[in-house]
Amino acid sequence: MKASPNDQRRLLELQLIDSSIARAQRAIANPPQAAEIDSLSDRLVELDRAVLDRLGSADDITAVIKRLEDDAGVVEQRRARDQQRLDGGADAKTAQALQQELATLGRRRDELDEQQLESMEQLEAAQQELADARAAADEVRSRRDALVSQRDAEAEVARTELEGIDAERKAVAATLPGDLLALYEKIRSRYGFGVSELRGNLSVAAGVELTAAELAEVGRASDDDVVQCPTSSAILVRPAGGIAL
C-alpha cells in the first residue's frame, strides 16, 4: 500500500484523538466514584433497615403505653363507680366488698403507673436510638448523593467533550485516503492502536525495539510505502529525515 508521508504522520494525530475518545468513554462508563457509590448504597440499605427496626421498636413501645393508658382509664372508671356506690350509702357487706375492690384497683393503678413510667423511659431511649439511626443514614445518604451528583456532572462534561472530539475525528479522518484509514481501523480494532511512531529503533506504541535486521528492512522501504511494525502490525510512521542505519 502507498500513502504520502504526511498522510501516514496524520494517523498519529488520529490516534491521539482516538485515545481521547477512549478516555472520555471510560470516564462515562466507569466513573471513579462508582465503587464508593456502590459501597455507600449497600451501607445505606443496612442503615435504612436499622431505622425501620428502631421505628418498629418505638411504635411497639408506644402501643404498650397506649394499652396501659387504656387499662388505667378502665381502672379509674371502676374506682369512680365503686366510690360512688360506697358514698351512696351501701350496706355493710357491700361496703366492705367495695372497699376491698377499691384497694385492689388502687394497687392495680399503682402497677399501671409504674409500668407506664418504665415504658416512657424505654420510649425515650428508643426514640434516641431512632434519631441516631436516622442521623447515620442521612449522613451516608448525603455523601452518596453528593458523589452521584459529582459523577453525573463529570459524565456530562465528558459527553460534551466527546461530542467535540468526535467532530474533530471526523474532520481528520476525512483528509485521509480511504484504504489507509481502513487499514488503521482494522489494526486498531484488533490491537487497540493502529499506528506507532518509530523513534530510533523503538516502535513507541508497541513499546518494542526493532532488531537491526528489521530496522534495515524498514529503512529500505520508500517514503510512501506503508510499513507495518513487525511485532505489533501497527502502521509504522518513520522519521521525516529517514532512518539512520
Side-chain angles (χ1 to χ4, degrees):
M1 182 186 296
K2 296 284 188 177
S4 71
N6 285 339
D7 285 341
Q8 294 184 49
R9 186 158 291 276
R10 196 170 293 117
L11 288 175
L12 294 173
E13 180 182 354
L14 185 63
Q15 183 157 278
L16 286 175
I17 294 172
D18 284 336
S19 295
S20 296
I21 290 174
R23 282 194 298 271
Q25 290 173 335
R26 284 195 299 271
I28 295 171
N30 302 296
Q33 302 88 353
E36 188 173 0
I37 288 174
D38 289 343
S39 176
L40 290 173
S41 295
D42 290 342
R43 176 63 178 151
L44 192 55
V45 169
E46 297 175 359
L47 292 173
D48 283 341
R49 187 180 299 116
V51 169
L52 291 176
D53 290 343
R54 302 297 188 278
L55 182 60
S57 296
D59 287 345
D60 289 344
I61 297 172
T62 300
V64 169
I65 293 173
K66 177 64 169 57
R67 179 179 59 78
L68 292 172
E69 289 174 346
D70 291 343
D71 289 348
V74 172
V75 168
E76 285 305 309
Q77 289 176 1
R78 290 177 60 185
R79 288 177 68 181
R81 183 199 61 193
D82 289 351
Q83 188 64 50
Q84 185 177 17
R85 290 179 61 193
L86 185 63
D87 293 342
D91 59 69
K93 184 177 180 180
T94 301
Q96 183 179 9
L98 289 171
Q99 288 172 346
Q100 290 176 347
E101 184 172 353
L102 283 169
T104 300
L105 291 171
R107 289 191 297 272
R108 176 58 179 158
R109 179 55 195 265
D110 290 342
E111 292 173 358
L112 291 172
D113 288 345
E114 184 176 349
Q115 291 173 13
Q116 278 185 292
L117 180 60
E118 292 176 355
S119 296
M120 291 298 292
E121 292 173 350
Q122 292 172 0
L123 179 60
E124 183 178 356
Q127 288 174 334
Q128 183 60 56
E129 291 179 359
L130 174 60
D132 292 344
R134 280 174 170 162
D138 288 345
E139 181 180 356
V140 172
R141 183 176 289 104
S142 177
R143 173 62 179 161
R144 193 273 312 270
D145 291 348
L147 285 173
V148 168
S149 296
Q150 182 184 13
R151 178 203 63 191
D152 292 347
E154 291 179 1
E156 183 60 31
V157 171
R159 279 190 288 268
T160 301
E161 179 185 351
L162 191 56
E163 291 176 1
I165 299 173
D166 280 337
E168 183 182 359
R169 187 188 196 282
K170 290 176 181 177
V172 173
T175 67
L176 296 170
D179 55 351
L180 180 65
L181 180 61
L183 178 60
Y184 165 83
E185 297 285 21
K186 180 180 178 180
I187 298 169
R188 186 174 71 90
S189 66
R190 183 176 298 176
Y191 300 109
F193 56 91
V195 64
S196 182
E197 184 177 11
L198 181 64
R199 295 180 187 169
N201 67 338
L202 177 67
S203 176
V204 175
V208 175
E209 293 184 349
L210 274 64
T211 66
E214 291 170 338
L215 199 60
E217 183 178 352
V218 170
R220 285 192 292 269
S222 63
D223 290 346
D224 62 351
D225 282 335
V226 175
V227 178
Q228 292 179 245
C229 173
T231 301
S232 67
S233 297
I235 297 169
L236 204 58
V237 176
R238 291 154 286 167
I243 298 174
L245 300 175

